[in-house]
Amino acid sequence: MEPAVLGGKLASSLVAPLVRKLFATGGPGAGLVDRPVRLAHLVSFRGEQRTLGEKEVRRLAGRLVGDSLDSPGEPPFPPDETEAVTTALTVRLLALGDLDMDDVQAVRLGHQELAQQLRYRAPSATGGLSADACYFLDSVTEWACLHILEFFTRRSTFVARTLVEQSRWHAELIAKVDELITRTPRPDARDTAFERRYLSYVAERHNHLTIYGIDLRDSPDRWPLEVAYLSLEATADEDRLALPDDYAEPERTVRLPAEAALATHDRVLLRGDAGSGKTTLVQWLAVTAARDADRVPFVLPLRTLVRAGALPSPAGFLTAVGCPLTPPDGWAERVLTAGRGLLLIDGLDEIPTADRHRARDWLLALIRAFPGNRWLLTSRPTAVRPDWLATAGFRELTLAPMSRADLTTFVRRWHVAADAPAYEARLLDALHTKRDLARLATNPLMCGLICALHRERRGYLPTGRKELYDAALTMLLARRDRERGMEAVELGEEAQLELLQRLAYALVLSGRTEMDLATAEGIVERSLPSVASAAGQGDAETVLRALVLRSGLLRRPGEDSLDFVHRTFQDYLGARYAVEEGHLDVIASRADDPYWEDVIRMAVAHSRRGERAVLLRRLLARDSPRLTLLALACLEHATALDPAVRAEVETRAGALIPPRSTVNARALAEAGPLVLELLPGPEGLTDAEAHGVTVTASLLAAHEPDGALAVLRRFRGHPSLDVRRQLVGTWGRFDPLTYAREVLDHLDRTELFLTCTTEGQRAALADLRPPWSLLRFEGPHAVADILRAVPGPETIQTLHFTQNTELTDLDPLTAFASLRHLSLTNCGDARGLHRLTALRLESLTIRGTTDLTGLDALDSLRRLSLLQRLPGSRLTDTLPVAAPLLELHLGLYTTKDTGLRGLSHWSTLERVALRGHHITPADWVELSLLPRLESVDIDGSVLVEGPDEPPALPGVRTVRVTRTRGGEAARLAVLFPRAAITVS
């Protein structure tokens, strides 16, 4: 029914008389007492002034409903629902007597919120009603509440009570404001004005990205960041606590968009290989934070900070990075003290090892002094050990290689920006079919070089990493637009290479990626006598300036500093110079330093056959697993090599294969696709070794999908759950249908979830026989599409939905007749929990903002997990009171309004998990009243901040405590005297 029509049927003449009869005519005075009179004492159907009973209230509701139906025009709902609507309206009106507020509070609340309160207290009133009837019931409730508030304001006592309440409220507000002013210094107006200028500067300063090859000829040399930015994936191996209705998974690989790294954790150490996009991500986070104005970003490249000597305090952040703006005194410290800072510290691997410890001390001192801010530190994978910042609460993530979809997106954007559409399809075809080329296209840097070379060579591409770099250098040094430099100095390709590689080698030897301009000029000056074509072009300053402008490989990050546009070029050119000068002993002696890994690989590529053998034997002589794998990785660049040396390297590497842990598997994958030829199994392997092999093959799928699939196919009959999970988890790296037929369809499905994220994966479900009973769908998937894809809906026992915007009505889920376990994560549009009563669900998990209306009807639940704020004031207001709950998981903020009030109602509870919940003395009492409680998961903070003398829980046998602060052991022993306690 149209709102206008319904509004006419709910005219004031119908509602107002009803409202007046619901309240007693008399009442208290101005309310100058300690306990204000609540609505329960004002209604006419309760208390000493009772003039109506429930029957009379029902007659009044029936009269209102009847008058609405008798009014001219279309009826607001089907006439056969008149009795049900009357009953529902009666229940809601009687709920007025249950509201714990007085008339002044009700008026302050407003008629819509007051109506919402009535709906919360009578959630079952709408059960079985049609949509039109529900809409009429909600509308008439709001109209009634509007007249109720009007009635309150006309009572003779209202004005007096309002003045009293306002006086109290103003006094309380003044006291709180005074306290706030005392605690927080009043911000200077200059801070606000400066912050606007600074955020604008950051957004402009970092909103560009150089993509190699685009700056050739007449193309622009920079892209806007929002056009160029490619969202890559970050991964982390984490222990995971299973929720009450979730499957057991002791360790999993967490995957998330790299730009979301700080969304759930305030401190992140992000590792990534050269060219993987770490600095681009830093720029993206800075620009988005500046534009959203939710955080104040500070971009702090460590190589620049370390070169200045002492690492800066907050007051020196802007000066240290060359920001031309001058902030008010103390501005940066005030920002960090308020916890509004986003500190993006880039390039830990770009400073010498000795300086990294100093940088860590500086970082930890800042974190201790200014808690509450967000911190991102970037580094190459091997620059520091895995637990380098673990004690400081840093979460470690690793930038994943570009997927095939990422590669396609990048190539298309590149060709649009370069205005070269004719080459796009040809390059994509080459990348998808040529093994050597596809192995190189794993990060934005290499993809940009490949795109540029493909265009400049009109479709011809070299093979191999060394050949690619050689071709890239020729393109950048010899074919770059000469007029662009606006300099008269002429430097040939060989002259430029000679000078560049000397600069690169000097940086490599010093362990730095940035040098003083004066140092660079000194190197050029000493080199000029031996570089004839450059000697006559001017002094060292002139030649160096021309090299910066013309080569495309050097840049000036500051007025008096110099570095390479990317460290990959520095390592390549430094290795070339070392080999030319016969410095193999120097190279081999630095092999223990991870900083030199790429230099050594490139040195093998540049060396002659005999030199390669010497260098590889030097690596093997160290008898180090990492150096053995490094030697194995070097074989990729050793086109010609003594067969005996190659065999020795492969034999020594065989001792590291199979990998016996996930860490070893990742290290092994670093050696490249050659490893696939050496991976054994599954015969003769332990479960841990089999899992390690499948992890290694999965990681190499992006480089060599056919070879990786061949390895993984061998393990499809393996019984280990960890191995089977790994095989399922790597589905997204392959063609969905091919992988489903080759691997998934042969797996033992016991306790095994299958996750679908794409339309192709969902479609592939139809080919799987028998159907999977445990399914997870991530992203938008309509239930109708799932039903068409699943060959046997009646066999599905468990469904997990994550971020599914297509899941709006839960009623279609009843087609899964055997469904017993359901999880909804961030499915905010889902409605109709009461429709699931026919399924007799045993467990339910809800995370996010799903509508909880109807949850109380699910009386078959045995396990319930909620990670969203509950309405009402008690758990019994929303949770199913008739359910025989055994396990209950309540997440952060879930019980902010309800506390644990009413928890003891579920006397069947055996396990309770509380995350981030501040437990009050009353809450501890509720826990102590659970006779069968055996297991508790709890946040460590409550043990520090909780009540002084909470009741002991002697019946609890197992306790897990997370987010500990230290010092909880004594309280744990008192609270849980008979429990086995795990602290993590």
Side-chain angles (χ1 to χ4, degrees), residues 77-106:
F77 56 87
D80 59 355
E81 293 188 278
T82 302
E83 188 67 17
V85 172
T86 300
T87 300
L89 181 58
T90 303
V91 171
R92 285 193 176 177
L93 293 174
L94 289 172
L96 283 166
D98 298 326
L99 293 179
D100 187 25
M101 65 178 72
D102 55 39
D103 53 356
V104 175
Q105 293 171 330

Side-chain angles (χ1 to χ4, degrees), residues 159 689 932:
V159 174
E689 290 171 343
R932 297 171 60 180

Side-chain angles (χ1 to χ4, degrees), residues 124-145:
S124 61
T126 57
L129 294 180
S130 66
D132 283 346
C134 290
Y135 183 64
F136 170 84
L137 181 61
D138 289 343
S139 299
V140 75
T141 302
E142 288 191 14
W143 275 77
C145 288

